[in-house]
Amino acid sequence: MAAPQLGAWSPALSVSVVIPAHGGQDKLDLTLAALAAQTYPEHLMEVLVVDDGSRPPIRLPEIRPVNTRLVRVHDGWGISNAVNTGAKAADGEIIQRLDSDMVACREHIEAMARWHHVTDYLVTIGMKRFVDAPPVTPGQVFLAGHLGELFDLDAAVASSTEATIAKTDGLRKSRNPYHVCTGPTFALPREVFHAVGGLDPTVARGEDTEFAYRLAMHGVVFVPDPAAQAVHLGLPAQHRDRERAVRAVEPYLAHRIPQRRDLRKDRGRRWLVPYVEIVLDVTDTSESVVRQAVAAALDGKLQDVVVTLVGPWSRLNDSRRFALSDPCFELRLMRDLFAHDERVRLIDEAAPTPAPTPFRYRGPVDVPLHRATLERMIESVQKDLAGVLVVDLPDGRTARLERTSALGRAALLGDAGDDPDEIIDATHGVRHETPDRFWPAPPQPEPVVVPALNEPQNSQAQKQARPLAQEPVGVPGEAPERTLLRRLKSALRPN
């Protein structure tokens, strides 16, 4: 996939630059001055400055893009709420998120937007370096040909995300590329922004990372563009007190990003977003079979799961008393059994994807999971990042583990009626395996070996113990278990 060359193409998509702001009028003035000098056509670009309760209120400076609006937040507070407020008011086909203390190079918006003219499932990421704000004016920023005329870029503090991008070949080799989409400059289609629900206002720390994770589960591709350069005026909080900054964000990410297994080491905990959704179709199945399947699912080595029972639950009518002759007798039993279990959900139809849960298991309800099944299936797909693992069961049926991001990508790329597995096979890979590793056979008990009774003590000391199955002792024709029991009783009987 290649993007158009800067300055040698004709943009067609409109861009809405959303800038959340809480105070910092002097830095915002520089941000807007840089946007006023962008190479992207001004008739295709609007800027929305979202004032998140600033005192004194934010004002629009003289040097600003032609299509600049000031949006005041009336409900809620925080960066997430401000960005969502701006996105709702935006008219552009592309949403460009930008911090209010960023000075972007002239080509920044063009570099970010050009990829979205190629396809509609990308999230573009801009570059940033941290500098101490020098005494420059909005007029100087507007006239500067490049950032080096304004800032000492050699002395700038590099962003850790850029190091990750370089180390992973532009995220091509990254296992979790959403990690680098941490604000303060990224762009995506407006439809994708709203499809994942925007930013979460309840996340006070790490809101951009959490949002990027949900984008990953939606199936997007993250594309960093080195040409989209910018400087951040001032050092981030991590540089001032890294230990506290990291600790402050961990609770939010632990509950909402299951792939952060390092944050979920406390045994017995329950998390907001589970690691795996186990989907079982219980239609026309007895309550006893379902009970066994649910018990096995919740008792595995991997406890970070939720069980979804798919069945015709909407058929149940509580207008009359539950009769023993009710045709939905088994279904009612199941509902009453699991109604108050927070780890079991009852739905009529499974969703197309389990997002934001990163994995989904589907299998026959009458084939209970082994305690190691899920752990081993995830271990298998994580080796090569396969999209779907299909286990071919001996009776011709299958059990499968699906990667949510692969399902999301298939939905973005496919049309109605397309086979998702065919698309996933091309994008991530679909692998088939036998069940032996995932449903291991129980270990065979070793043969019980006891010495023969009624032998002289010296004889017993000289001979090796003989297996019970080879020399049964006791009543002829008795089972070996009975024979063993008699021996033990005899050995324990007082003289």
Side-chain angles (χ1 to χ4, degrees):
M1 184 185 299
Q5 184 179 352
L6 293 176
W9 65 297
S10 298
L13 298 177
S14 57
V15 178
S16 293
V17 184
V18 177
I19 304 176
H22 179 72
Q25 180 73 57
D26 55 340
K27 293 180 179 179
L28 174 63
D29 292 350
L30 302 181
T31 299
L32 293 175
L35 290 176
Q38 290 296 301
T39 59
Y40 205 74
E42 65 178 26
H43 71 280
L44 290 176
M45 187 178 78
E46 68 168 352
V47 176
L48 296 95
V49 178
V50 185
D51 185 359
D52 184 25
S54 302
R55 293 291 181 269
I58 292 293
R59 56 169 178 78
L60 294 181
E62 180 181 353
I63 302 178
R64 64 179 188 267
V66 174
N67 302 312
T68 301
R69 289 188 277 155
L70 184 59
V71 180
R72 309 254 184 218
V73 174
H74 298 292
D75 297 314
W77 61 276
I79 292 177
S80 297
N81 186 67
V83 172
N84 292 345
T85 300
K88 290 177 183 177
D91 296 325
E93 296 161 284
I94 301 170
I95 298 293
Q96 165 75 54
R97 153 96 156 86
L98 189 68
D99 272 1
S100 62
D101 51 4
M102 294 274 287
V103 176
C105 71
R106 285 176 170 264
E107 303 80 15
H108 195 95
I109 301 301
E110 180 187 353
M112 299 282 276
R114 58 178 172 165
W115 293 93
H116 300 286
H117 288 70
V118 178
T119 188
D120 59 359
Y121 58 88
L122 304 180
V123 174
T124 48
I125 304 170
M127 306 294 107
K128 62 182 179 295
R129 281 177 277 185
F130 300 95
V131 299
D132 289 326
V136 298
T137 66
Q140 291 173 311
V141 171
F142 178 74
L143 295 174
H146 54 82
L147 295 175
E149 296 178 14
L150 302 168
F151 309 101
D152 184 0
L153 299 182
D154 292 334
V157 177
S159 168
S160 60
T161 60
E162 293 192 28
T164 301
I165 291 169
K167 188 187 304 181
T168 57
D169 188 22
L171 299 183
R172 293 178 183 86
K173 299 178 181 178
S174 175
R175 300 181 71 86
N176 296 303
Y178 69 86
H179 275 307
V180 303
C181 189
T182 55
T185 169
F186 60 82
L188 71 166
R190 183 176 61 182
E191 289 77 7
V192 173
F193 180 94
H194 292 300
V196 300
L199 278 74
D200 186 348
T202 67
V203 180
R205 295 276 184 173
E207 65 280 343
D208 289 319
T209 300
E210 190 275 336
F211 177 61
Y213 167 75
R214 282 186 284 119
L215 287 171
M217 295 302 100
H218 190 66
V220 306
V221 175
F222 294 92
V223 178
D225 194 321
Q229 291 290 329
V231 296
H232 189 287
L233 303 176
L235 295 177
Q238 290 89 332
H239 285 256
R240 297 191 295 270
D241 191 340
R242 178 173 178 78
E243 189 265 343
R244 284 203 169 192
V246 171
R247 289 177 59 198
V249 75
E250 283 184 349
Y252 295 99
L253 302 187
H255 271 291
R256 293 165 176 83
I257 303 183
Q259 291 180 337
R260 289 295 305 269
R261 307 310 293 164
D262 59 310
L263 301 180
R264 294 192 175 187
K265 293 182 178 180
D266 301 336
R267 294 187 61 82
R269 291 288 307 277
R270 295 290 177 266
W271 307 99
L272 181 63
V273 180
Y275 195 39
V276 183
E277 179 188 23
I278 301 169
V279 178
L280 303 172
D281 191 335
V282 301
T283 305
D284 299 328
T285 308
S286 70
E287 176 267 344
S288 60
V289 171
V290 175
R291 181 196 290 257
Q292 182 183 7
V294 172
L298 297 179
D299 191 41
K301 290 184 178 180
L302 182 61
Q303 295 278 303
D304 192 1
V305 302
V306 64
V307 178
T308 297
L309 303 181
V310 179
W313 306 105
S314 57
R315 290 184 192 171
L316 301 182
N317 187 344
D318 291 327
S319 60
R320 295 180 60 84
R321 184 178 177 181
F322 178 17
L324 299 181
S325 59
D326 192 326
C328 296
F329 180 84
E330 298 291 339
L331 207 60
R332 287 186 183 277
L333 280 183
M334 285 183 247
R335 185 194 62 178
D336 295 341
L337 178 64
F338 299 116
H340 304 291
D341 191 328
E342 62 181 12
R343 300 178 69 188
V344 180
R345 301 184 293 201
L346 313 178
I347 61 175
D348 279 30
E349 184 178 357
T353 82
T357 299
F359 294 103
R360 178 170 68 186
Y361 169 85
R362 289 175 175 269
V365 67
D366 58 344
V367 181
L369 291 167
H370 185 276
R371 294 197 75 241
T373 299
L374 290 180
E375 186 177 65
R376 294 185 178 184
M377 291 181 85
I378 291 176
E379 180 184 78
S380 178
V381 300
Q382 289 294 72
K383 288 180 179 178
D384 60 358
L385 299 182
V388 176
L389 171 63
V390 181
V391 178
D392 299 306
L393 301 176
D395 60 2
R397 295 182 296 174
T398 61
R400 49 191 285 139
L401 184 75
E402 302 166 332
R403 186 182 298 275
T404 301
S405 57
L407 294 173
R409 183 80 54 79
L412 291 172
L413 296 177
D415 296 319
D418 288 346
D419 182 359
D421 277 11
E422 291 184 3
I423 301 174
I424 294 173
D425 193 31
T427 59
H428 293 75
V430 175
R431 183 149 42 83
H432 286 254
E433 292 196 24
T434 60
D436 303 359
R437 167 170 163 71
F438 310 107
W439 277 269
Q444 296 297 321
E446 297 182 2
V448 179
V449 178
V450 297
L453 298 182
N454 302 323
E455 289 187 4
Q457 187 172 358
N458 292 340
S459 176
Q460 290 186 5
Q462 294 172 358
K463 293 184 179 180
Q464 292 184 345
R466 287 167 288 189
L468 174 65
Q470 294 179 358
E471 289 193 31
V473 178
V475 179
E478 281 194 313
E481 292 82 1
R482 292 289 302 276
T483 305
L484 175 60
L485 183 60
R486 287 178 180 274
R487 289 181 178 179
L488 292 174
K489 288 182 177 180
S490 175
L492 296 172
R493 186 177 300 121
N495 293 330

